[in-house]
Amino acid sequence: MITNRTSRDYAEALRRLLLSAYVHTTDGAHIYWVFDGGTLTTEQQHAIVLQESELTAFRFSAPGEISRDEIPPSRRPLWGAALGALTDGSTVHLEVVG
């Protein structure tokens, strides 16, 4: 659920879906969404209100602000796919088991 913003405002703020991934591992199933949100001002970031019960975590970061060590080894292929989609203008959908 998105509050305080229309669906169109939200879609415009996020710009483009880079990656959607369903990952099933021994610790359970997880869904990942990575968006190209462009550059948002602090005010724009605070205007986006997400339903926290549906999220484990989110953050606003440029690709260069995320170090390889922050990403668990098992999730690094997802990050690589998202960066590839950002570079080539595509959207990647993955299902990973294992």
Side-chain angles (χ1 to χ4, degrees):
M1 168 184 276
I2 301 165
T3 59
N4 298 336
R5 300 200 30 113
T6 67
S7 295
R8 180 179 172 163
D9 290 339
Y10 186 66
E12 287 174 2
L14 290 177
R15 292 177 50 179
R16 185 166 65 87
L17 175 64
L18 300 175
L19 169 86
S20 68
Y22 173 81
V23 179
H24 187 80
T25 62
T26 56
D27 64 335
H30 307 276
I31 298 174
Y32 293 86
W33 305 93
V34 179
F35 292 90
D36 173 8
T39 302
L40 302 177
T41 65
T42 301
E43 181 178 294
Q44 289 171 315
Q45 289 177 23
H46 291 303
I48 299 172
V49 180
L50 303 173
Q51 186 171 340
E52 292 181 24
S53 65
E54 294 185 358
L55 294 173
T56 303
F58 74 94
R59 73 190 245 192
F60 298 99
S61 302
E65 295 173 346
I66 301 171
S67 75
R68 181 173 172 83
D69 294 336
E70 291 181 77
I71 303 168
S74 63
R75 305 308 192 263
R76 288 180 187 152
L78 304 180
W79 182 240
L83 290 177
L86 179 63
T87 300
D88 67 22
S90 66
T91 299
V92 179
H93 305 281
L94 299 174
E95 183 172 348
V96 179
V97 178

